[in-house]
Amino acid sequence: DAKTTQPTSMDCAEGRAANLPCNHSTISGNEYVYWYRQIHSQGPQYIIHGLKNNETNEMASLIITEDRKSSTLILPHATLRDTAVYYCIVHHKSPNAGKSTFGDGTTLTVKP
Amino acid sequence: EAQVTQNPRYLITVTGKKLTVTCSQNMNHEYMSWYRQDPGLGLRQIYYSMNVEVTDKGDVPEGYKVSRKEKRNFPLILESPSPNQTSLYFCASSIITSGGGSTDTQYFGPGTRLTVL
């Protein structure tokens, strides 16, 4: 099963772009990369997902390398409310479709 | 409002006293899952269910049971809780994509903070 590796923590200045990297070198086939974030001890919240192409929504952009072994989540204009733990995970395909592996995530601290 | 609800939100109990944490979703999702989160760590999957009467173990199933008799409910049962099960528990649900047999975006409940003395 594909596992992900993320830096433990990152800082970002308010108003600047936050770039959060994730390695998923064992990703295979049509497995999607998903990003979630968890603010304090609330339930994780979906941010964005992608397969091969770069994706953008109202919250963030996702850049996936051509070989799909890594990706970067971009928060274009970070605010203090973006301080959270960010998780990059791979959604497995059948027969392990139900398995879901969250790593320890990256703690992003946005500073004034 | 589409949501996943968990009850109770907070629970303090004693070793060996059976307890059930309920999870319910109103989105008609096929997939449901339970996670635990310990301080400073990420989520670890306990059990998951791909549909009614279909459940399977996650990474840390020891000491837990689940059942999926109805699509909307997925209770987590601790038959004989121990202090090492003190944790923050999350329930999540998702649709199952028809093409690749994968889960889609997971929607999480608010969490249940369990303390076993």
Side-chain angles (χ1 to χ4, degrees):
Chain A
D1 295 339
K3 293 187 177 180
T4 61
T5 305
Q6 300 176 252
T8 301
S9 64
M10 295 181 65
D11 291 342
C12 177
E14 187 178 20
R16 304 296 294 269
N19 297 283
L20 290 86
C22 178
N23 286 321
H24 30 80
S25 58
T26 59
I27 195 170
S28 62
N30 293 322
E31 291 180 327
Y32 282 77
V33 179
Y34 277 72
W35 283 82
Y36 293 81
R37 74 178 182 185
Q38 184 179 28
I39 298 174
H40 298 300
S41 295
Q42 299 175 20
Q45 173 193 24
Y46 165 80
I47 302 173
I48 198 168
H49 73 281
L51 180 64
K52 299 179 185 177
N53 301 317
N54 299 338
E55 302 287 346
T56 296
N57 63 20
E58 65 278 3
M59 291 182 69
S61 295
L62 175 61
I63 309 297
I64 302 174
T65 58
E66 191 169 343
D67 62 8
R68 302 212 318 125
K69 294 188 176 189
S70 66
S71 60
T72 300
L73 177 74
I74 301 172
L75 307 177
H77 305 286
T79 70
L80 299 179
R81 288 175 295 179
D82 291 323
T83 292
V85 179
Y86 288 78
Y87 296 101
C88 161
I89 72 169
V90 173
H91 276 213
H92 305 295
K93 295 293 183 181
S94 181
N96 294 315
K99 297 276 271 183
S100 188
T101 305
F102 283 73
D104 292 338
T106 296
T107 299
L108 175 68
T109 303
V110 180
K111 298 185 175 181
Chain B
E1 180 190 353
Q3 60 183 353
V4 178
T5 57
Q6 296 179 225
N7 282 293
R9 295 288 313 281
Y10 302 89
L11 179 60
I12 300 175
T13 188
V14 295
T15 299
K17 185 176 181 181
K18 181 180 178 179
L19 67 91
T20 299
V21 184
T22 65
C23 174
S24 182
Q25 50 92 7
N26 62 1
M27 295 169 279
N28 201 36
H29 286 168
E30 298 91 351
Y31 175 86
M32 298 185 75
S33 181
W34 276 103
Y35 300 87
R36 63 176 287 173
Q37 185 175 35
D38 298 306
L41 300 179
L43 283 72
R44 291 182 292 169
Q45 191 178 40
I46 304 172
Y47 269 96
Y48 62 92
S49 169
M50 298 294 281
N51 214 326
V52 176
E53 301 292 0
V54 180
T55 63
D56 209 344
K57 297 178 181 179
D59 294 323
V60 290
E62 295 77 21
Y64 304 94
K65 285 177 57 177
V66 292
S67 68
R68 187 90 182 275
K69 293 183 170 57
E70 304 167 284
K71 199 172 187 179
R72 64 183 293 127
N73 297 322
F74 190 45
L76 180 68
I77 303 157
L78 285 72
E79 296 269 5
S80 183
S82 62
N84 64 14
Q85 292 178 298
T86 292
S87 190
L88 179 59
Y89 291 86
F90 290 103
C91 179
S93 73
S94 169
I95 63 170
I96 304 269
T97 62
S98 57
S102 171
T103 57
D104 200 348
T105 301
Q106 292 188 58
Y107 293 83
F108 286 83
T112 295
R113 191 170 293 279
L114 172 66
T115 301
V116 183
L117 302 174

